[in-house]
């Protein structure tokens, strides 16, 4: 199981990469494996400011629909539009080309609530 | 939860196993899109041993089958099968099934796993003529070998000329070193192939030989997820989604298996519907924009008023568009009618289309 040490994680199987006040968010390798072939990523919340844990989008595999939860409060400043035509990038490169959104973080203290790679590894029993 | 005979084989193949109709079943192996494509263009094998099998025998067998099913089983000669359904007495459907005439007075009924007990009780209850009934469900396995390369890949396993078995015909013959196997030119994919019925004690050998013979043809195991996308691209009904105890066979577009040449349970009401039409009908639709319809989503008109429900929906792996089935009032059932599917906040426009969605 690929769980990069430098990233932060959530119990909803999302990863977060933080640079200054901008966080990049995607779903983990474990999550994409559980979902199977991803066929659609819908994010219609760009430019909206949402609270942590609010739904910012939806990821659809052939058989399932899953909500995507915002890992940190803030403004959604970008959606990875490459996923509109190639949602399978989430399967093939979950931590790279399969990134989903960028957030302008509004409350930096929330970062401390995210899981470390070790804590996430424990959560999924990897 | 029950296990099918080859449970350990699927686990060893790294199948994702999920509970389905009371059984642990392989839902996918390598991934649904690859598996779907394998069946459309090559050959793949489904283990659908959860399905139920009833044997109906004796001089009254045909009379019982005629009473409980809508299609006309008197048209079956030995070696032929037909798709049919069991109507209930309230206008709905107990189950859909395939009826095989195995011998002069012996018929095999293949029913959905989720309905085995319900069907058995229903048919037993109507067996006032005293036909002999046996439930073989626990003793028999079913492998569906499907795809355009199925005939070529499997021909070395049997003395029968597989290419000569016509659609909805079958042979009881040798297969993979086992005698008296049912080799049936049926399936639920629209890509051709066979269904093999054998005893649980024989299925491991059959599975192994099928994969040996198919190796040069790129044969792969296929899970239930791809079975669903394959059947939906053809517009085949799935019991529990598109048909159930409350939907009539006429509404569901199954008028073609509802025959007035015989009498059956609730035939008066159903044949009246066939003649006069129904208020709602099952339609096939394709989304005009991005999105994936799902079972239970509302179907709405251009004003946003609810007009029906999606009963099955998916992203079509072959075409890359959102496709589905659902019930709508008869004014929306013409091909080309514009409807909308409520997907979360958006009413996504969709067009009523002719089946099948997937054309070779």
């Amino acid at each position: 199981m690929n769980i990069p040490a430098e990233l932060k994680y959530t119990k909803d199987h999302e990863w977060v990469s933080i640079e200054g006040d901008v966080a990049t968010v995607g779903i983990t390798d474990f999550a994409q494996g559980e979902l199977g072939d991803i066929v659609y990523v819908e994010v219609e919340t760009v430019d909206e400011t949402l609270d942590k844990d609010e739904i910012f989008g939806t990821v659809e595999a052939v058989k399932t629909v899953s909500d995507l939860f915002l890992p940190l409060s803030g403004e959604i400043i970008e959606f990875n539009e490459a996923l509109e035509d190639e949602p399978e990038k989430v399967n093939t490169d979950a931590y790279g080309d399969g990134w989903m959104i960028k957030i302008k973080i509004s409350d930096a203290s929330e970062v401390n609530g995210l899981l470390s790679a070790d804590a996430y590894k424990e959560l999924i029993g990897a | 939860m029950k296990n099918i005979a080859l449970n350990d084989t699927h686990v060893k193949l790294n199948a994702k196993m999920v509970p389905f109709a009371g059984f642990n079943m392989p839902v996918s192996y390598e991934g649904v899109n690859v598996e779907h494509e394998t069946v459309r263009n090559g050959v793949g094998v489904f283990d659908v041993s959860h399905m139920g099998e009833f044997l109906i025998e004796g001089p009254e067998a045909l009379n019982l089958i005629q009473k409980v099913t809508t299609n006309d089983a008197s048209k079956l000669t030995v070696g032929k099968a037909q798709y049919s359904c069991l109507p209930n007495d309230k206008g709905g459907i107990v189950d859909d099934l395939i009826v095989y005439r195995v011998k002069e007075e012996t018929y095999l009924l293949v029913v959905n796993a989720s309905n085995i007990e319900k069907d058995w009780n229903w048919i037993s209850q109507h067996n006032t003529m005293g036909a002999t009934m046996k439930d073989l469900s626990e003793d028999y396995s079913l492998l569906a070998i499907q795809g355009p390369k199925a005939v070529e890949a499997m021909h070395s396993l049997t003395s029968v000329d597989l290419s000569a078995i016509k659609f909805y015909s079958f042979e009881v013959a040798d297969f993979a070193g086992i005698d008296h196997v049912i080799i049936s030119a049926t399936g639920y994919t629209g890509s051709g192939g066979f269904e093999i019925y054998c005893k649980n004690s024989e299925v491991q050998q059959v599975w192994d030989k099928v994969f040996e013979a198919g190796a040069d043809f790129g044969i792969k195991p296929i899970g239930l997820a791809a079975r669903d996308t394959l059947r939906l691209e053809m517009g085949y009904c799935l019991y529990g989604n598109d048909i159930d105890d409350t939907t009539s066979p006429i509404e569901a577009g199954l008028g073609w298996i509802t025959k007035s040449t015989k009498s059956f349970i609730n035939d008066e009401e159903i044949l009246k519907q066939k003649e006069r039409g129904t208020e709602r009908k099952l339609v096939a639709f394709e989304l005009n924009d991005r999105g994936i319809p799902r079972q239970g989503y509302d179907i709405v008109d251009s004003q946003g008023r609810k007009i029906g429900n999606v009963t099955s929906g998916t992203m079509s792996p072959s075409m890359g568009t959102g496709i589905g089935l659902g019930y709508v009032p008869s004014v929306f059932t013409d091909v080309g009618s514009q409807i909308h599917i409520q997907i979360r906040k958006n009413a996504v426009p969709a067009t009523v289309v002719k089946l099948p969605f997937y054309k070779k």
Side-chain angles (χ1 to χ4, degrees):
Chain A
M1 190 65 61
N2 183 9
I3 306 173
E6 67 277 16
L7 300 176
K8 298 287 189 188
Y9 298 87
T10 73
K11 60 174 175 34
D12 299 313
H13 310 287
E14 287 158 354
W15 58 263
V16 184
S17 159
I18 297 166
E19 279 179 62
D21 63 351
V22 173
T24 305
V25 178
I27 66 168
T28 64
D29 187 37
F30 173 77
Q32 69 77 19
E34 288 294 302
L35 289 169
D37 290 341
I38 288 163
V39 290
Y40 193 47
V41 181
E42 183 183 85
V43 173
E44 295 185 330
T45 49
V46 174
D47 295 336
E48 289 182 29
T49 300
L50 299 176
D51 287 338
K52 175 176 176 292
D53 296 333
E54 281 196 88
I55 294 167
F56 72 84
T58 311
V59 57
E60 301 203 36
V62 176
K63 294 299 289 177
T64 55
V65 184
S66 306
D67 287 329
L68 294 164
F69 299 97
L70 205 63
L72 299 166
S73 302
E75 183 188 350
I76 294 144
I77 54 173
E78 196 179 339
F79 166 53
N80 180 7
E81 284 172 7
L83 299 182
E84 286 192 351
D85 291 325
E86 295 177 279
E88 62 274 16
K89 284 187 171 184
V90 178
N91 292 116
T92 54
D93 193 9
Y95 300 111
D97 288 346
W99 68 274
M100 290 179 175
I101 56 163
K102 291 186 195 288
I103 316 168
K104 190 160 196 303
I105 302 168
S106 58
D107 180 357
S109 72
E110 286 176 359
V111 174
N112 300 324
L114 296 172
L115 303 175
S116 67
D118 283 343
Y120 181 67
K121 201 177 281 183
E122 201 171 311
L123 179 82
I124 62 171
Chain B
M1 201 61 57
K2 291 184 214 168
N3 283 343
I4 51 175
L6 293 181
N7 185 72
D8 293 352
T9 301
H10 301 305
V11 171
K12 270 184 216 143
L13 286 166
N14 277 325
K16 191 176 286 183
M17 303 294 287
V18 298
F20 180 84
F23 293 82
N24 289 307
M25 295 299 292
V27 68
S28 67
Y29 300 81
E30 200 177 328
V32 55
N33 286 337
V34 172
E35 292 169 31
H36 183 106
E37 200 271 332
T38 299
V39 173
R40 281 280 178 257
N41 300 311
V43 54
V45 185
F46 304 83
D47 186 344
V48 281
S49 299
H50 59 318
M51 300 288 285
E53 294 91 8
F54 303 155
L55 212 57
I56 314 279
E57 292 177 292
E60 294 298 330
L62 180 61
N63 285 338
L64 173 57
I65 291 165
Q66 290 290 63
K67 182 177 172 185
V68 297
T69 65
T70 55
N71 209 338
D72 189 349
S74 73
K75 306 281 192 229
L76 288 173
T77 52
V78 172
K80 298 282 180 195
Q82 69 182 191
Y83 180 57
S84 193
C85 79
L86 304 173
N88 64 25
D89 50 10
K90 298 180 180 66
I93 300 172
V94 178
D95 201 2
D96 62 340
L97 75 167
I98 297 179
V99 179
Y100 292 83
R101 188 169 190 181
V102 183
K103 294 179 199 161
E104 272 315 302
E105 294 186 349
T106 303
Y107 295 82
L108 178 70
L109 273 48
V110 178
V111 303
N112 284 298
S114 52
N115 291 334
I116 292 172
E117 202 184 333
K118 181 176 79 163
D119 293 353
W120 178 263
N121 291 340
W122 178 258
I123 298 168
S124 301
Q125 185 191 321
H126 291 93
N127 185 14
T128 50
M129 56 290 279
T132 306
M133 292 175 58
K134 285 181 200 154
D135 182 358
L136 307 179
S137 306
E138 305 247 315
D139 307 319
Y140 272 75
S141 288
L142 170 54
L143 301 181
I145 303 163
Q146 299 278 296
K149 293 184 183 164
V151 170
E152 204 186 342
M154 295 298 119
H155 87 100
S156 64
L157 294 182
T158 175
S159 59
V160 171
D161 178 6
L162 292 175
S163 64
I165 306 178
K166 294 203 179 83
F167 196 47
Y168 271 79
S169 298
F170 64 98
E171 296 269 355
V172 181
D174 61 294
F175 189 86
I178 312 271
D179 287 333
H180 308 300
V181 168
I182 293 181
I183 309 169
S184 168
T186 47
Y188 197 43
T189 64
S191 280
F194 301 92
E195 295 186 296
I196 304 289
Y197 296 86
C198 64
K199 295 199 185 90
N200 289 346
S201 56
E202 301 164 340
V203 67
Q204 184 74 57
Q205 178 175 332
V206 174
W207 177 273
D208 291 342
K209 298 256 180 200
V210 162
F211 277 85
E212 261 172 49
D216 288 346
F217 298 86
I219 200 165
K220 289 175 191 249
I222 315 293
L224 291 185
R227 186 172 170 81
D228 192 48
T229 53
L230 288 158
R231 72 92 194 168
L232 190 49
E233 283 186 347
M234 298 309 294
Y236 298 151
C237 287
L238 173 62
Y239 194 89
N241 283 38
D242 315 302
I243 50 176
D244 62 27
D245 294 299
T246 68
T247 61
S248 93
I250 306 304
E251 289 176 330
L254 300 179
W256 63 280
I257 59 163
T258 306
K259 298 290 165 68
S260 57
T261 48
K262 55 167 246 182
S263 62
F264 57 90
I265 292 165
N266 203 31
D267 55 354
E268 208 171 304
E269 183 183 350
I270 294 172
L271 292 170
K272 199 189 288 175
Q273 287 182 10
K274 188 172 181 178
E275 213 171 285
R276 297 182 189 170
T278 52
E279 283 177 22
R280 60 170 197 168
K281 281 210 97 164
L282 189 67
V283 292
F285 61 84
E286 203 171 323
L287 295 195
N288 304 348
D289 294 339
R290 275 169 194 282
I292 306 171
R294 303 281 184 182
Q295 185 185 20
Y297 285 3
D298 285 350
I299 302 176
V300 299
D301 65 12
S302 54
Q303 314 300 313
R305 286 177 298 235
K306 181 174 172 177
I307 55 170
N309 271 320
V310 175
T311 54
S312 287
T314 193
M315 172 71 87
S316 158
S318 301
M319 297 169 301
T321 53
I323 58 170
L325 301 175
Y327 284 94
V328 293
S330 55
V331 291
F332 294 97
T333 55
D334 288 344
V335 168
S337 297
Q338 294 298 306
I339 57 175
H340 294 75
I341 310 303
Q342 191 69 43
I343 302 179
R344 295 177 286 277
K345 290 177 199 157
N346 304 320
V348 180
T351 304
V352 173
V353 298
K354 193 170 179 293
L355 288 173
F357 294 105
Y358 173 78
K359 295 166 191 79
K360 275 166 241 173

